[in-house]
């Protein structure tokens, strides 16, 4: 009788043991298939993000040494931006300049539940909005990442003067449309308004945008609908910036096609810029890096954990069962069955059970893979939010949302191609467990196995 026929007979005869092994191997197979599926989905999404991202880098405050303005805004100097912009390979750049202004002919949006400001704050900031001056709104991270998009009209460009873009909710609440005017007045109570300016600027609405933060806001100042984009001339006039005092929130540099990002960043670091207070980071590393490193790292740990769990459980179960098969092993050895043939039998038994467990595991994985992917993504996003919260930078506004955003959803599907690596991994675990569990018995003589005294 061959080792395969012995294995088949044992599997069919020992139904309870076969069922227990089937359940264990099915759980292991499903777990491995699901973790591989989530890891592959994260890799795919990261690659797509990197393809869509504009190649370049961002100059911004170094939070370790530079806390920024009184209310924590950026302090990037225009002169430093110009130095970097002159480097070979840099195609363009976009800057942001943040100010706070009151709407004089419109009403700012308020929280549905209200009562977010006390009497004093209501008087000072009740109708204030966040202004973000820029030379090219289309290249801002919020629009480039599609967190926001144009609903009507057009983006702002460098040649614009006294133009603005408003959120569709603010437009709807105030019956505003593209081409209408919006008058803004500098808020003298803003901590960053060092001159105490109350200058007013009347802008023409060039575009209306849509989109929002997916995080809960605490005050109306965090509402995306209370963010207004303008040209730089408008923000400069509102805060009456002097040329030597003007500052930006940050600057994003776009590289020409084929230019090496790392080399250009290294060249920038050699320029006479205060690198103690400022830093540069790749603008495509954030979302893709967090998604790929965060999700895939978590799945790698899960896969290793599953393999260790499988090995421990199988070894324990097989050791117990091998002890029960002492007499069977003794008889086989006594009638001349070689030990290699016996090991092959035990491995064959596991394979016979493992084949249907792979099929069942694939069916189970299809049901749990999406749940596992969604849970992992939530964990990665929550971890990023906690990290920024520990630095005091996490709020409900769009800026904080962009800083902690990895991906809102992760579509996971179990690819049939994953069955091969899972099968090989499962086979490796089975071989190790069988050898560990049966070797102590195989070293014994037939007398010892049969319990016969010498």
């Amino acid at each position: 009788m061959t080792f395969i026929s012995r294995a088949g007979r044992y599997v069919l005869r020992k139904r309870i043991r076969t069922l227990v092994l089937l359940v264990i191997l099915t759980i292991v197979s499903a777990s491995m298939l699901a973790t591989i599926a989530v890891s592959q989905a994260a890799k795919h999404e990261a690659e797509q993000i990197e393809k869509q991202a504009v190649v370049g880098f961002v100059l911004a405050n170094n939070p370790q040494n530079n806390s920024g303005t009184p209310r924590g805004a950026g302090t990037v100097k225009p002169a430093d931006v110009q130095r970097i912009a002159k480097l070979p390979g840099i195609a363009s750049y976009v800057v942001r300049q943040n100010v706070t202004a009151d709407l004089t002919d419109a009403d700012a949006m308020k929280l549905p539940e209200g009562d977010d400001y006390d009497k004093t704050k209501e008087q000072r900031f009740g109708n204030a909005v966040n202004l973000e001056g820029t030379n090219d709104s289309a290249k801002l991270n919020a629009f480039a990442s599609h967190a926001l998009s144009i609903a009507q009209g057009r983006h702002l460009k460098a040649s614009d003067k006294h133009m603005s873009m408003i959120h569709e909710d603010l437009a709807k609440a105030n019956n505003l449309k593209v081409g209408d005017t919006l008058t803004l007045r500098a808020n003298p109570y803003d901590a960053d308004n060092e001159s105490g300016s109350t200058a007013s600027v009347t802008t023409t609405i060039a575009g209306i945008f849509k989109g929002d933060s997916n995080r809960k806001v605490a005050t109306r100042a965090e509402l995306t609908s209370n963010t207004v984009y303008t040209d730089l001339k408008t923000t400069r006039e509102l805060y009456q910036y002097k040329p030597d005092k003007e500052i930006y929130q940050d600057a994003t540099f776009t590289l020409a096609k084929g230019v090496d990002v790392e080399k250009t960043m290294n060249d920038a670091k050699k320029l006479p810029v205060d690198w103690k207070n400022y830093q540069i980071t790749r603008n495509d590393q954030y979302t893709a890096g967090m998604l790929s490193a965060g999700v895939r790292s978590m799945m790698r740990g899960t896969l290793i954990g599953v393999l260790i769990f499988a090995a421990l459980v199988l070894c324990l179960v097989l050791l117990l069962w091998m002890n029960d098969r002492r007499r069977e092993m003794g008889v086989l050895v006594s009638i001349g069955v070689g030990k290699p043939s016996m090991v092959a039998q035990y491995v064959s038994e596991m394979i016979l059970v493992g084949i249907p467990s792979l099929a069942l595991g694939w069916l189970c994985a299809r049901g749990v893979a999406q749940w596992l992917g969604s849970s992992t993504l939530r964990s990665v996003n929550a971890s990023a939010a906690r990290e920024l919260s520990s630095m005091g930078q996490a709020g409900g506004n769009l800026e904080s949302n962009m800083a902690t955003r990895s991906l809102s959803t992760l579509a996971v599907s179990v690819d049939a191609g994953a069955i091969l690596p899972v099968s090989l991994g499962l086979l490796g675990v089975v071989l190790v467990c069988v050898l560990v569990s049966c070797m102590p018995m195989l070293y014994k003589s037939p007398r010892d196995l049969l319990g016969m005294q010498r």
Side-chain angles (χ1 to χ4, degrees):
M1 186 181 297
T2 64
F3 67 86
I4 294 179
S5 60
R6 293 200 308 270
R9 289 172 182 269
Y10 184 85
V11 168
L12 293 174
R13 189 173 72 251
K14 300 291 185 177
R15 295 186 181 89
I16 294 179
R17 292 188 178 184
T18 298
L19 182 61
V20 171
L21 279 177
L22 182 66
V23 171
I24 294 173
L25 293 178
T26 297
I27 293 173
V28 173
S29 300
S31 300
M32 292 175 68
L33 284 167
T35 53
I36 289 176
V38 173
S39 183
Q40 289 177 339
K43 180 181 178 181
H44 174 75
E45 291 295 340
E47 289 173 348
Q48 293 302 311
I49 291 170
E50 288 178 345
K51 286 179 182 179
Q52 296 173 3
V54 177
V55 179
F57 55 87
V58 179
L59 173 69
N61 286 7
N62 181 347
Q64 293 182 345
N65 302 313
N66 185 358
S67 59
T69 64
R71 61 177 167 87
T75 58
V76 175
K77 298 177 181 178
D80 294 331
V81 175
Q82 293 302 319
R83 288 189 184 96
I84 297 175
K86 293 177 182 178
L87 287 173
I90 292 182
S92 63
Y93 68 89
V94 58
V95 296
R96 299 190 301 159
Q97 189 171 69
N98 294 341
V99 305
T100 300
D102 295 323
L103 300 177
T104 63
D105 52 3
D107 294 322
M109 300 298 294
K110 294 177 173 59
L111 295 180
E113 58 271 20
D115 299 330
D116 56 325
Y117 286 170
D118 58 27
K119 185 177 180 179
T120 301
K121 201 165 187 179
E122 184 70 39
Q123 182 181 5
R124 294 181 175 182
F125 299 101
N127 210 39
V129 293
N130 304 308
L131 257 62
E132 194 162 293
T134 181
N135 59 321
D136 189 350
S137 61
K139 292 182 180 178
L140 293 174
N141 190 34
F143 290 96
S145 64
H146 306 295
L148 300 179
S149 60
I150 288 290
Q152 300 175 38
R154 64 170 177 83
H155 274 288
L156 300 174
K157 51 189 178 182
S159 60
D160 282 336
K161 295 179 180 179
H162 300 162
M163 305 295 287
S164 61
M165 292 193 331
I166 63 174
H167 193 273
E168 59 181 0
D169 291 345
L170 185 66
K172 183 178 180 182
N174 292 279
N175 295 316
L176 296 171
K177 61 183 182 299
V178 173
D180 288 349
T181 59
L182 185 71
T183 302
L184 305 162
R185 184 179 61 226
N187 187 299
Y189 300 104
D190 179 27
D192 286 355
N193 187 356
E194 296 181 352
S195 66
S197 172
T198 56
S200 293
V201 175
T202 298
T203 64
T204 301
I205 299 173
I208 296 175
F209 62 91
K210 60 183 179 180
D212 203 353
S213 165
N214 58 13
R215 303 180 66 191
K216 183 177 177 60
V217 300
T219 68
R220 72 190 73 173
E222 295 180 339
L223 291 171
T224 306
S225 52
N226 280 336
T227 296
V228 175
Y229 293 93
T230 71
D231 54 85
L232 291 171
K233 181 176 177 60
T234 297
T235 50
R236 286 167 181 156
E237 289 184 9
L238 284 171
Y239 270 26
Q240 298 180 345
Y241 277 125
K242 296 179 180 179
D244 59 334
K245 296 292 185 180
E246 184 178 1
I247 54 173
Y248 298 138
Q249 171 71 14
D250 52 33
T252 301
F253 299 89
T254 303
L255 272 60
K257 187 175 181 180
V259 176
D260 190 316
V261 180
E262 297 298 331
K263 180 181 182 303
T264 307
M265 288 173 63
N266 289 332
D267 290 341
K269 291 176 182 178
K270 297 175 184 177
L271 295 174
V273 175
D274 186 3
W275 293 117
K276 180 180 179 181
N277 288 318
Y278 303 104
Q279 63 181 1
I280 51 175
T281 54
R282 288 186 57 154
N283 62 353
D284 62 351
Q285 71 180 13
Y286 165 70
T287 302
M290 180 184 294
L291 179 65
S292 182
V295 175
R296 295 177 68 192
S297 175
M298 194 173 293
M299 288 301 95
R300 191 181 303 113
T302 302
L303 185 59
I304 293 173
V306 168
L307 291 174
I308 293 174
F309 166 79
L312 291 175
V313 172
L314 282 177
C315 280
L316 179 61
V317 171
L318 292 178
L319 280 170
L320 293 173
W321 290 351
M322 288 298 174
N323 191 54
D324 290 341
R325 301 176 70 173
R326 292 165 61 102
R327 294 184 63 82
E328 173 194 334
M329 296 170 71
V331 171
L332 290 174
V333 173
S334 299
I335 61 176
V337 175
K339 292 181 179 179
S341 178
M342 293 175 63
V343 173
Q345 175 190 335
Y346 303 144
V347 173
S348 299
E349 292 171 5
M350 298 294 290
I351 292 176
L352 290 174
V353 179
I355 292 173
S357 75
L358 279 171
L360 291 172
W362 185 73
L363 293 174
C364 293
R366 294 181 65 184
V368 301
Q370 185 60 60
W371 169 84
L372 180 62
S374 299
S375 300
T376 304
L377 188 60
R378 283 196 299 271
S379 178
V380 170
N381 287 341
S383 177
R386 285 194 300 271
E387 183 177 346
L388 262 77
S389 180
S390 66
M391 297 188 297
Q393 298 181 32
N397 62 336
L398 183 66
E399 187 80 9
S400 295
N401 180 64
M402 292 298 298
T404 58
R405 186 173 66 94
S406 171
L407 205 67
S408 57
T409 59
L410 183 64
V412 182
S413 61
V414 182
D415 189 354
I419 293 179
L420 179 59
V422 169
S423 300
L424 295 176
L426 204 58
L427 179 61
V429 171
V430 165
L431 288 172
V432 171
C433 292
V434 168
L435 290 174
V436 169
S437 59
C438 72
M439 279 303 174
M441 297 297 175
L442 294 178
Y443 278 117
K444 294 183 178 181
S445 65
R447 281 179 172 271
D448 292 333
L449 292 171
L450 294 171
M452 299 174 60
Q453 297 181 352
R454 297 182 181 276

